[in-house]
Amino acid sequence: MSSIAKPSVRHPSARKNAIGLTKADYEGAMSTLCAGCGHDSVTASLIQAFWELDLPPHKAAKMSGIGCSSKTTAYFMRQSHGFNSVHGRMPSVTTGANAANRDLTYIGISGDGDSLNIGLGQMVHAIRRNVNMLYVIENNGVYGLTKGQFSATADVGSKSKRGEVHEQAPIDPVLLALTLGATFVARSFSGDKAQLVPILKAGLAHRGFALIDVISPCVSFNDHEGSTKSYAYVRGHGVETVATDFVPLRRSITVPAQHDEVTVVQMHDGHRVRLHATAPGYDPADREAAYGYVRSCIGREELATGLLFVDAAGRDMHDLNRTVPSPLAQLPFSSLCPGSAALDAMMARYR
Amino acid sequence: MPPTNVLDPRYYHKVVDCQWACPAHTNVPLYLRLIAQGRYADSYLLNRESNIFPGILGRTCDRPCEPACRRGRVDEKPVAICRLKRVAADLRGDISDRLPRAPDLKNGKRVALVGAGPSSLTVANDLLPLGYDVTIYDKHAKAGGLMRYSIPAFRLPEPVLDEECGYITGMGATMKYETPVTSMRTLLAEGYDAVFVGSGAPKGKELDIPGRNDAPTIHLGIDWLAAVQHRHITAIEPRVLIIGVGNTAMDCCRTARRLGARDATVLARRARKDFKASPWELEDAEEEGVRIVENHAPKRFIVEQGTLTGMEFDQLQWTEDANGRQRSTVTGTVVIPCDAVILAIGQENAVPWIESDLGIAFDARHMPVVDSMTHESTRPGVFFGGDAAWGPANIIWAVAHGHQAAISIHLHCAGRSLTMRPAAGMTLTSAKLGMQAWSYSNDYNPSPRATMQHQELVKRFSDVSVEVELGFTPDQAAREVERCLNCDIQTAFTDSLCIECDACIDICPTSCLTMTAACDTEAELRDHLSAPTLHPEQALFVSGPLPQTKRLMVKDEDVCLHCGLCAERCPTAAWDMQRFDLKLVYAGGFVAAAEAR
Ligand SMILES: Cc1cc2nc3c(=O)[nH]c(=O)nc-3n(C[C@H](O)[C@H](O)[C@H](O)COP(=O)(O)OP(=O)(O)OC[C@H]3O[C@@H](n4cnc5c(N)ncnc54)[C@H](O)[C@@H]3O)c2cc1C
Ligand SMILES: Cc1ncc(C[n+]2csc(CCOP(=O)(O)OP(=O)(O)O)c2C)c(N)n1
Ligand code: SF4
Ligand code: SF4
Ligand code: SF4
Ligand SMILES: [Mg+2]
């Protein structure tokens, strides 16, 4: 909470983007999260990414479930569509929304509890279907909103604020997504905007399900000694595996690749992403290798970060289901609802 | 880059732009908050500590604070600092029992002050409470100097002047009115422990062109204004030209309009953008029907049979040469008919009464040689201040000089070194009252700057002493004080507490904050800021290495709103909002903090 709303004035140098909006136009209500919450930093990175991508707010839908993380959709793009669903059901609601209107940019914001505990069954199917959406898990290892119970991402051996040691095996959303065939899998840290913002932009440009697991410390219940999701722990154990550079449509890649490991990925909408593997021999297009690498990091108590796997050619839900190319709302009524004669004809086929 | 030394009071002082720019370093934001709380008397007395004449300066100050005000960088127009001072003065009620007093027991030291202008009155104000026997000489019958004899009553009403000068003279100074000092030698022979020369720059500059002495209706501006003030002059001819476009010219043309001038025209050599008069004075003059003409240089007076009929001017065109120097070329001449002329092209120092063999040195321009810190002349025990020291300035500079000279006189009389002056100190007090609760109103008020209500023109011209500005209404004052950004409530940072969560950086509305790797130079650091540097003269705060990553927290002070959101969003109170109070030194040590605080 803050005592006042954010003052309306901005730095005099504040610029407008290509669609005439300032960064302030991408802001939302004042955050009611705890001071210092990682989720607020993710919000700031999202605002930066939307502004840089010239995203029209009225063409976006903010989707979330329940949790501190899920509250954050209120804190950005106040002029967008949005749906705040039942706990864990955001992936399914987004799947439905996307089926009906494929023209919107879907921004799903969830928590480790929302996605990997109560909502696990929902999320895995959205991945399988390759629903075209940005899916951000603000991962703090606890249920922040309900005061800090361990969530499904809590590591074995990590300690709760009151000293209790966690013993159940965690679910790693990155490994899970890789096994389920996700076409865009990344991990980052709320405290590293230089890494996070280009990944968010790449995820928004990706057609298909773009999963970004963002370690986002809970400053009130999981930022102590013994936590593996604290600011200090992540800073000490994070290793950037792949450095990401988002290359907008109108900018050419001028810097020659100095490294053999530089891969340029052409996104569906014409943007490009330049990936530079800092781990020797790492190939962000090789799913098996990515899986193995991330696992080996876990063994070394390291956290692999960066855009770890991308397949820009993957087919999304609409491709797979051969749906009509336009949003349902734009179809003429006669094709959306062809009438009882058409229904009778179809039923006749099954008789 | 070494970490910023915030223990040096100058760092936070500079953040309070208005207080830094004020020659007397008035604590503006605190006095504005006292007005906001309706504590007008407290606000008045706080003002008086540093600037002595809140009622006078609240109407007439040159207000160097306002162009410096941070609000001007955030939102174009500064806070109306000066006219809010007047609000405190107008509404203060009876404060007589809270003014300084002279003790019954004197300290045995006698000091003479030449001139009863603001500089001398400030010296007297500071020395009388310490038990000095102070004698003030002035050639006029009343105290105030140019504040009384030049500044017209329609800008500064006589009762305001009488009251504030009276607070000082009433402390028991021996006033020798109508007593011009004609010889420094004689004055020194009277055995004073120190002499302060605050005699101003009393001589109007002459214009030596043909015809100057051929007609009786050609006046020297400051002499003419003084004659009006004495009511020796009560009327002027219908067509008047005023030569010069400084503050004196503005007072002359507006006074002329009140004494019957139908056409009052101000003629300037320069183009409008280079005028010396303050923009608000030009506006006020034009509102009163004064015509202001640029690019005209006087050539000669046209006098026919002892009567002035006009003046001839060269018309100029200004161009800038390669070095940025302005050069004029004459494009033609023109005769402007008129009946009277007032010369307002500047003032000069004149101290013919200081003999040359007293060890008081003068430079090639006939200006006394005065030490800029101690105000001492080349003769120990003789001090200069106000316009007499370095030429014409303004009231608030005269006051600032008076305070410094009083310190020197006090040290001199104690036989101590004048250069071993105590430095200003500071206190820092957390403004935190509780969770997200502060002892100041931290919300940003987007109101535009208040505009001053003026007396209607007909009433203004009915008498030369009708005050033009009516002051702010209570509503206006209440809104205007909220425009102040409270720059004295400082963002104080403790490196060791920061967990580098970015919360402060994310919330800051004006992108003041950055965390970045250490750099060698400030220029390099400025390349890495969240928002580009717009005013390199504004300081950067640089922390020590932060605990987790050894990066630095950097704050560009330029457009900080002092909204406190960084401190509210900080989980560890690494940022705190702390009230900075500059402890200025006056003669006799620290002035006790106003009871107000
Ligand atoms: C027309 C005009 C308008 C101005 N308007 C403003 C304004 O709006 N705001 C502002 O801040 N400033 C203004 N000023 C400037 C301001 O008045 C002066 O800078 C200020 O008064 C200087 O103070 P001082 O103490 O140095 O001396 P002064 O105010 O000049 O006082 C000197 C005194 O010494 C006396 N004196 C001189 N010689 C002797 C002697 N030999 N013996 C005895 N007495 C002597 C004089 O009679 C006078 O009373 C204005 C000036 C003029 C001319
Ligand atoms: C159906 C249902 N079950 C349980 C809850 C209680 N509940 C609210 S938030 C939450 C956990 C949220 O955890 P996470 O998604 O990690 O979000 P965080 O607050 O940590 O960001 C739970 C269990 C609920 N609101 N609804
Ligand atoms: S905003 Fe207030 S404190 Fe800051 S410079 Fe202006 S008047 Fe002074
Ligand atoms: S007080 Fe803090 S948040 Fe507010 S403008 Fe200044 S640095 Fe930014
Ligand atoms: S909010 Fe506090 S802890 Fe977080 S980065 Fe800023 S100063 Fe450091
Ligand atoms: Mg959580």
Side-chain angles (χ1 to χ4, degrees), chain B residues 491 507-510 512-513 555 560-566 577:
Chain B
T491 53
I507 197 69
C508 179
T510 43
C512 306
L513 307 176
K555 179 187 175 207
C560 170
L561 307 175
H562 298 261
C563 64
L565 282 176
C566 50
M577 303 305 291

Side-chain angles (χ1 to χ4, degrees), chain B residues 127-420:
Chain B
L127 294 183
L128 284 165
L130 302 177
Y132 281 86
D133 175 344
V134 175
T135 307
I136 307 182
Y137 295 84
D138 201 292
K139 57 186 177 204
H140 290 297
K142 287 182 174 175
L146 289 189
M147 301 192 297
R148 185 181 298 274
Y149 296 106
S150 283
I151 300 183
F154 59 81
R155 285 209 290 129
L156 177 57
E158 206 172 359
V160 175
L161 191 61
D162 288 345
E163 198 168 20
E164 291 192 332
C165 293
Y167 289 159
I168 299 163
T169 57
M171 269 193 282
T174 308
M175 300 305 297
K176 300 223 171 181
Y177 289 124
E178 298 183 296
T179 314
V181 175
T182 51
S183 160
M184 182 63 118
R185 189 188 310 283
T186 316
L187 187 67
L188 290 171
E190 292 187 27
Y192 288 104
D193 294 289
V195 171
F196 174 79
V197 181
S199 57
K203 217 174 102 198
K205 270 199 189 138
E206 265 302 346
L207 184 63
D208 286 323
I209 55 171
R212 166 65 183 94
N213 298 312
D214 300 349
T217 57
I218 304 171
H219 309 281
L220 268 180
I222 66 164
D223 294 347
W224 183 77
L225 285 171
V228 173
Q229 207 70 1
H230 281 114
R231 306 252 166 181
H232 296 159
I233 290 181
T234 53
I236 195 161
E237 291 72 13
R239 298 172 305 168
V240 183
L241 302 185
I242 294 93
I243 310 301
V245 75
N247 300 357
T248 306
M250 292 301 109
D251 284 338
C252 290
C253 66
R254 296 177 68 192
T255 303
R257 286 283 287 136
R258 283 162 175 76
L259 297 196
R262 196 164 24 79
D263 294 340
T265 305
V266 172
L267 289 123
R269 279 172 57 85
R270 294 276 180 172
R272 186 152 185 143
K273 63 176 174 49
D274 299 317
F275 287 0
K276 273 202 201 137
S278 327
W280 59 87
E281 284 188 299
L282 293 165
E283 274 167 36
D284 291 350
E286 287 182 323
E287 185 185 330
E288 293 176 0
V290 171
R291 200 155 63 96
I292 297 172
V293 178
E294 53 182 2
N295 304 329
H296 278 61
K299 212 171 167 193
R300 66 183 178 101
F301 294 94
I302 302 168
V303 181
E304 288 163 14
Q305 279 119 36
T307 305
L308 180 70
T309 61
M311 233 184 133
E312 189 175 308
F313 293 87
D314 279 336
Q315 291 161 307
L316 304 182
Q317 194 177 7
W318 293 93
T319 45
E320 218 174 85
D321 70 12
N323 306 324
R325 277 248 292 285
Q326 300 254 346
R327 300 207 174 279
S328 63
T329 39
V330 177
T331 57
T333 59
V334 63
V335 170
I336 302 182
C338 65
D339 311 307
V341 168
I342 304 174
L343 301 175
I345 53 174
Q347 284 158 255
E348 285 169 332
N349 288 44
V351 277
W353 50 276
I354 300 184
E355 293 84 348
S356 56
D357 58 351
L358 296 174
I360 302 173
F362 286 81
D363 66 14
R365 291 162 35 250
H366 310 293
M367 296 295 288
V369 177
V370 181
D371 183 275
S372 62
M373 176 172 64
T374 66
H375 287 252
E376 197 174 37
S377 70
T378 52
R379 181 181 167 120
V382 175
F383 301 87
F384 282 75
D387 291 357
W390 296 285
N394 55 36
I395 303 168
I396 192 64
W397 270 114
V399 168
H401 291 174
H403 285 310
Q404 291 306 315
I407 294 174
S408 295
I409 292 170
H410 192 48
L411 291 169
H412 171 80
C413 290
R416 300 199 350 232
S417 158
L418 303 191
T419 50
M420 303 285 281

Side-chain angles (χ1 to χ4, degrees), chain A residues 65-82:
Chain A
I66 298 294
C68 298
S69 34
S70 293
K71 285 172 72 178
T72 64
T73 49
Y75 311 144
F76 59 83
M77 279 209 292
R78 57 167 70 82
Q79 300 182 71
S80 297
H81 308 277

Side-chain angles (χ1 to χ4, degrees), chain A:
Chain A
M1 287 293 286
S2 319
S3 65
I4 54 169
K6 193 161 168 169
S8 54
V9 271
R10 292 293 176 268
H11 194 271
S13 70
R15 284 183 299 117
K16 291 187 170 158
N17 65 8
I19 59 168
L21 300 182
T22 62
K23 236 189 283 173
D25 296 321
Y26 289 90
E27 291 174 0
M30 283 299 274
S31 169
T32 55
L33 302 182
C34 304
C37 177
H39 301 351
D40 280 336
S41 271
V42 180
T43 298
S45 292
L46 284 164
I47 290 169
Q48 181 73 26
F50 300 148
W51 179 75
E52 287 179 11
L53 280 180
D54 309 316
L55 188 74
H58 68 285
K59 299 280 282 175
K62 308 177 295 182
M63 314 299 287
S64 66
I66 298 294
C68 298
S69 34
S70 293
K71 285 172 72 178
T72 64
T73 49
Y75 311 144
F76 59 83
M77 279 209 292
R78 57 167 70 82
Q79 300 182 71
S80 297
H81 308 277
F83 197 104
N84 190 210
S85 82
V86 184
H87 203 6
R89 271 54 184 169
M90 178 271 278
S92 322
V93 174
T94 312
T95 305
N98 194 323
N101 187 345
R102 59 190 296 173
D103 270 7
L104 298 182
T105 300
Y106 290 93
I107 298 143
I109 310 287
S110 183
D112 40 334
D114 193 57
S115 281
L116 301 167
N117 288 85
I118 193 167
L120 187 67
Q122 317 279 313
M123 187 186 79
V124 293
H125 289 286
I127 297 177
R128 254 185 75 238
R129 292 192 171 107
N130 204 16
V131 177
N132 184 13
M133 71 182 296
L134 177 72
Y135 196 105
V136 177
I137 300 177
E138 296 179 351
N139 182 354
N140 54 15
V142 288
Y143 298 167
L145 193 69
T146 53
K147 297 196 183 304
Q149 301 83 352
F150 286 122
S151 78
T153 61
D155 291 309
V156 174
S158 72
K159 277 198 190 124
S160 76
K161 201 173 180 179
R162 284 162 54 210
E164 193 186 338
V165 177
H166 188 60
E167 292 179 18
Q168 277 170 52
I171 300 175
D172 182 334
V174 162
L175 293 178
L176 181 67
L178 285 170
T179 56
L180 290 168
T183 49
F184 184 111
V185 183
R187 176 139 54 211
S188 189
F189 171 42
S190 67
D192 186 356
K193 291 197 176 69
Q195 184 191 56
L196 179 55
V197 173
I199 293 181
L200 288 170
K201 287 161 73 178
L204 285 160
H206 176 71
R207 196 166 76 154
F209 192 93
L211 178 97
I212 308 177
D213 175 36
V214 186
I215 311 297
S216 173
C218 172
V219 75
S220 294
F221 301 109
N222 206 9
D223 193 40
H224 45 263
E225 279 277 336
S227 158
T228 57
K229 299 281 190 289
S230 68
Y231 284 108
Y233 185 91
V234 180
R235 290 209 165 92
H237 296 78
V239 266
E240 182 164 73
T241 308
V242 185
T244 314
D245 179 18
F246 184 83
V247 188
L249 219 43
R250 285 168 294 275
R251 186 169 31 101
S252 55
I253 299 178
T254 44
V255 192
Q258 296 143 329
H259 254 272
D260 297 339
E261 289 96 330
V262 170
T263 322
V264 176
V265 182
Q266 181 83 33
M267 304 310 271
H268 195 85
D269 61 359
H271 295 296
R272 274 156 302 166
V273 177
R274 236 174 127 242
L275 298 174
H276 164 212
T278 40
Y282 190 88
D283 177 3
D286 182 339
R287 188 183 295 274
E288 314 308 324
Y291 188 90
Y293 185 81
V294 172
R295 273 209 68 103
S296 71
C297 282
I298 294 170
R300 293 193 297 274
E301 291 194 352
E302 284 177 359
L303 201 63
T305 65
L307 176 38
L308 300 165
F309 175 77
V310 59
D311 170 13
R315 293 157 73 207
D316 86 337
M317 177 175 72
H318 288 282
D319 299 337
L320 292 167
N321 290 296
R322 297 175 193 83
T323 59
V324 286
S326 71
L328 300 189
Q330 286 170 19
L331 291 181
F333 184 74
S334 54
S335 29
L336 197 58
C337 187
S340 46
L343 179 65
D344 291 345
M346 198 177 89
M347 292 305 282
R349 296 216 309 263
Y350 300 104
R351 287 202 178 98

